[in-house]
Amino acid sequence: MTGMSCAARARGVEVLRPGMSTTVQDWPGRIGYWQIGVPPSGPMDDVSFRLANVAVGNPEGAPALEATMGGPALRLDTDTWVCVTGAPARVTVDGARVPQWEPVLVAAGAVLDVGMVDGPGLRTYIAFAGGLSAEEYLGSAATFTLGRFGGHEGRVLAVGDKLETGGAAAGRRRRILFDEQPAIGRHWYIAVTVGPHSAPEFFTRADIDTLLTHDYEVHFNSDRTGVRLIGPKPQWARPDGGEAGLHPSNIHDNAYSVGSLDFTGDTPILLGPDGPSLGGFVCPLTVTAADRWKLGQLAPGATVRFVPVRVAEAPSPATVGRARRAFLPAVFSAGGDADDGIIATTTSSDGATGVTYRRIGDDNVLVEYGEMRLDLALRARVHALHHALDEDRPAGLIDLTPGVRSLQVKVDPDRLGLPALVGLLTETEAALPPAQELVVPSRTVRLPLSWDDPATREAIERYMHGVRADAPWCPWNIEFIRRMNGLDSTDDVHRIVYDAEYLVLGLGDVYLGAPVATPLDPRHRLVTTKYNPARTWTPENAVGIGGAYLCIYGMEGPGGYQFVGRTTQIWNHRHPLAAPGFDPEHPWLLRFFDRIQWYPVSAEELGDLRADMAAGRGHVDITDGEFSLAEHEEFLAANADDIVATRTAMEIARAEERARWAAAGEFATKETA
């Protein structure tokens, strides 16, 4: 007993002051769960983080602390080597100033105090010899605060928290030389590749020129999910997103990359390591892997200039401590790849469908099928490619994330470069079976839906007070959906939603197993647009419609779908204790090609059901089955005339709504704030 107590005390780190948003992170974070909406998390500035570990003799990825703007005050219970890196800040031990970027021995009982950032940059990093001891969740100790897991109890540090270090470091300690340190400033040049969605399909040539020649300002409303930027509003190369939504930024949902410049409506956001894996907005540029560390040091008011580079010339992200060129504020480039982000094109094995290979940075390729429309045959082709690559698992493959008509393939560029990857993809495509042969397991999952739930009403009110009061979808999203689809009353919206059977096409649309699903019967496909700009808060398990798609929000966070109600949990936060209906092997409820059906409950009944699910005693009604594309296409053919009539009436209503928007100045070019 005494020995155990001494050991625990010997490794203790007590939090006297938590600082601002201080969390435990590791590197590279939580890898392999992108397709079901779990972001990697990990340090935003991975270069400073990894170098802090190097300084105290740890492996580069060992768990350490990340602090934003203001650092913590920590009392250590044993002599411990510590290194603080990142943005410049006043660092003291028992009041005496100590340097950053080199190991410092903190004596037992002494207080390490990392003050406010007092120069350029935003985040500091604190590594301890031996690393921090933290329980892993899905293979990583990185904290994802929105999901409430990883690190220390899934949250930021608080006064009185006790952390533990892992003991002595295995490597030698050393000072981080000036030439190894990342250069942190107030004006940033960031290396990007063009794509996946560029000119002339989505943006005008002038839009892309503006992106690459204009200084964008970092908005104060930025965090680990994404860095909002202030700059010119695009002119756009098309009037709207069709079935994907009324705004030209809307597309059929596909996977994102950390570092993608995501236009949520007219607002550009650089997606961070806690950002969403899937969504329905265009991304014209993507930061190269070696330059993504800069996102962690973009402070409010700083300016950013995007510099196009060729993939072949992009530095390796594995160059910590060896390549100063990668960490300078400037970017040296003779220009980017002159292909608008489209690396190659081909056709499917049966010659019926075009295939486009789009660049996402220097470590992802987005494989897109067919035209920009909702067609389950295209999702079938995505599934066939996904299955083939998953079976083969070539060296260097990291993640496969399906969207509505696309598959994102993420690789380690040092092991599998994009030219070799595209060659592999085209060879695999040529051997795939016809889409019509698709028959997959397809469970029917019946879930409760509290229509127009009070929590969604609150989210709309918050949006109107804090973001935008004059949006066409305010004050009632359901009325907006009615108007967009030319229905006689909101009762018709209610009837269609409850009558529909929604096929799950993707997961992780807004984190943690959140489905992007569409009605199997096209007559039930209510089409709307997404919020512009997006909401800053959405209640957990809100249900919304964006474009022709329905989504259940897996957790609280931002969002843009038009609300219809709220349901029970689709992510089991009690993992590994499985709630009824959840697989004990993983915490997400839904699977690709599941069918969602709704049954009505009151807000009070939903509250009881949610409490039961949270306590692990709830129930989900699930029936096994299968989905056959051939049978589905027979259904479409048998009902073709009525489907066309219904869809045509809805399209007329959307055209009328768009005309009202234009008359009100919704599409006028102006500065985005």
Side-chain angles (χ1 to χ4, degrees), residues 367-445:
V367 185
E368 278 190 350
Y369 286 94
E371 298 176 0
M372 188 70 68
R373 59 189 175 88
L374 174 53
D375 182 347
L376 295 186
L378 302 182
R379 182 60 181 86
R381 294 189 184 280
V382 171
H383 176 77
L385 178 61
H386 185 179
H387 179 74
L389 292 172
D390 204 29
E391 288 282 308
D392 186 43
R393 300 302 299 185
L397 177 65
I398 295 176
D399 263 318
L400 297 168
T401 308
V404 171
R405 50 182 284 270
S406 62
L407 180 71
Q408 179 181 280
V409 184
K410 180 176 178 60
V411 296
D412 177 350
D414 289 331
R415 301 176 65 197
L416 182 58
L418 295 198
L421 174 60
V422 171
L424 172 65
L425 292 172
T426 54
E427 289 178 10
T428 304
E429 183 65 42
L432 295 179
Q436 282 65 28
E437 293 183 7
L438 176 76
V439 179
V440 294
S442 178
R443 308 179 306 168
T444 298
V445 182

Side-chain angles (χ1 to χ4, degrees), residues 146 184 298 390 478 496-497:
L146 290 175
I184 297 173
L298 295 180
D390 204 29
I478 294 173
I496 290 172
V497 170

